[in-house]
Amino acid sequence: MARRAAVIGSPVAHSLSPVLHNAAFAALGLSDWEYTRVECAADGVPSLVAGLDAAWAGLSVTMPNKRAALAAATSATRRAGQVGAANTLVPVDGGWRADNTDVDGVLGALRASCGFTSGTRAVLLGAGGTATAALVALASVGVRAVSLVVRSASRAAEAESCASRLGLALDVVTWDTADFAALASSSDVLISTVPPDATGPIATALAGAPCVLDVIYHPWPTPLAEAVTARGRTLATGLDMLLHQAFGQSEQFTGLPAPREAMRAALRTATDNILPLPI
């Protein structure tokens, strides 16, 4: 039977997920499978999911729909519950199961690009949609203390709730009081989820961390990426994260091992080979 999958979000036209998943389908010989984009606001997620038929193999979910996706599911993986959001929905008997492979994305990017497999202290810039997935990823490899740097402490509520669920010690630091050089140099890993214009003035200080993940990949290179490279430190990127989160999604959609090399090659071609994308 021909199968379908899609990424849902708003806006969604920019998503590179079709590049990855259609490459996976082709490499796996699933010639009658198709992966598309579906524009859908958060309040439309429940009705969209309820209206999908048996041809659907799964959904990728981008912001701002990840919390709505978790709420619309009939079951959820432990890590989706820990994150408090889902980027993956797959059909199961009687409904849909939610998962969050962004956790895999963070860990896979850090491992492949930086060789990071464990640590105790981390710095996390920003408390947006990626932050809680990063907290779950960090906790899973032994990190017990995280300094969360935000513009305003009021923005940290969801991250604080997530850290509490994980038993993480979360120190909330406001942007205007942070000693970025000290935070970076005392950490095992630093993850930035904020726009390039925010990290530009402090990029040199942040580059003191031994391992850095900058989830922003457009425009490239970011000031943080340039500073990390100039310092001779190791850098993981948002494209690394995108690639590694897609592996788990592909396997959940198809039930087959992800064709990693084919997916990596397709993403490199689509992004003009701007990054090496280690796997």
Side-chain angles (χ1 to χ4, degrees), residues 89-262:
L89 291 173
V90 292
V92 294
D93 289 342
W96 291 79
R97 184 185 71 239
D99 191 19
N100 197 309
T101 66
D102 286 335
V103 176
D104 295 334
V106 171
L107 290 177
L110 290 173
R111 181 182 61 251
S113 296
C114 299
F116 179 82
T117 57
S118 65
T120 58
R121 293 192 59 83
V123 176
L124 177 59
L125 306 184
T130 306
T132 51
L135 289 175
V136 173
L138 292 169
S140 74
V141 292
V143 171
R144 304 314 309 158
V146 177
S147 294
L148 178 73
V149 187
V150 290
R151 291 291 184 187
S152 169
S154 63
R155 299 186 179 187
E158 291 179 357
E160 288 177 315
S161 294
C162 178
S164 178
R165 291 192 291 271
L166 297 166
L168 274 178
L170 189 72
D171 179 28
V172 178
V173 183
T174 56
W175 204 271
D176 57 348
T177 64
D179 183 340
F180 290 103
L183 286 171
S185 63
S186 64
S187 71
D188 297 307
V189 60
L190 182 146
I191 300 175
S192 174
T193 68
V194 299
D197 60 355
T199 56
I202 55 171
T204 299
L206 297 177
C211 175
V212 175
L213 167 59
D214 186 352
V215 305
I216 305 300
Y217 56 83
H218 181 76
W220 188 261
T222 64
L224 179 55
E226 290 180 320
V228 171
T229 301
R231 186 77 174 259
R233 303 290 192 176
T234 53
L235 175 71
T237 75
L239 284 181
D240 297 317
M241 181 178 168
L242 177 69
L243 180 65
H244 284 86
Q245 66 82 30
F247 294 152
Q249 284 188 335
S250 177
E251 291 175 354
Q252 292 187 53
F253 295 164
T254 67
L256 299 169
R260 296 186 171 214
E261 289 287 356

